[in-house]
Amino acid sequence: MSSEESANGELVAGRLTELARTRARAEARETEAMLRYRDDEMVRIETCERPLLRQVERAAIVMDIGQAVGLSEGQVHGRLAMADRVREHTPRVWLAFRDGRIDLSRVWEISSTVDVLQRDDSY
């Protein structure tokens, strides 16, 4: 391989790495926006006086998020649970996600592992 081909390969690899990090940061921003929306709505809903209305409004949060981002309600529930778990138990993983060093699929895998840990010192 010539030095020109090697340099071109490094440029392509560098560009692919930057694109992957950009995608991961976008996934993190989207997930954070979902969390923020949910949390803001939960605060707003708590001001409702009627318990049944609060229950209906809470159920609508996930549906609203799903419609906005093109996910099913189950997928939204899963993503919110994953994000809460990772932020709470593995904050460095969350920071790496926000920085684009790991992507959503890797965060899912880490979250799934965290979910089965049974001792606090395992985190």
Side-chain angles (χ1 to χ4, degrees):
M1 177 185 307
S2 73
S3 61
E4 184 179 316
E5 289 173 333
S6 177
N8 188 37
E10 289 175 19
L11 288 173
V12 170
R15 178 71 177 137
L16 290 172
T17 298
E18 185 53 38
L19 289 169
R21 287 187 175 181
T22 299
R23 178 180 34 81
R25 285 190 294 268
E27 291 168 340
R29 285 193 308 272
E30 179 183 59
T31 303
E32 286 182 323
M34 292 167 63
L35 290 166
R36 202 168 24 257
Y37 179 78
R38 180 207 54 197
D39 294 346
D40 291 348
E41 284 296 290
M42 291 299 283
V43 168
R44 181 189 64 79
I45 290 166
E46 287 307 309
T47 64
C48 295
E49 293 181 17
R50 297 175 27 210
L52 186 57
L53 180 59
R54 282 196 305 266
Q55 184 178 359
V56 169
E57 291 279 340
R58 281 188 206 111
I61 293 170
V62 172
M63 185 176 63
D64 291 344
I65 293 171
Q67 287 178 343
V69 297
L71 297 174
S72 72
E73 291 179 42
Q75 289 170 316
V76 172
H77 274 295
R79 183 155 331 165
L80 293 173
M82 173 273 307
D84 286 334
R85 189 177 308 114
V86 170
R87 285 193 315 174
E88 180 180 341
H89 297 292
T90 55
R92 286 184 173 179
V93 170
W94 188 255
L95 291 174
F97 182 39
R98 291 179 64 199
D99 290 344
R101 290 179 282 142
I102 58 174
D103 64 5
L104 184 63
S105 65
R106 287 179 177 89
V107 175
W108 271 105
E109 291 298 322
I110 293 166
S111 173
S112 296
T113 300
V114 167
D115 193 35
V116 298
L117 297 176
Q118 298 189 11
R119 296 189 339 240
D120 287 340
D121 61 344
S122 297
Y123 301 114

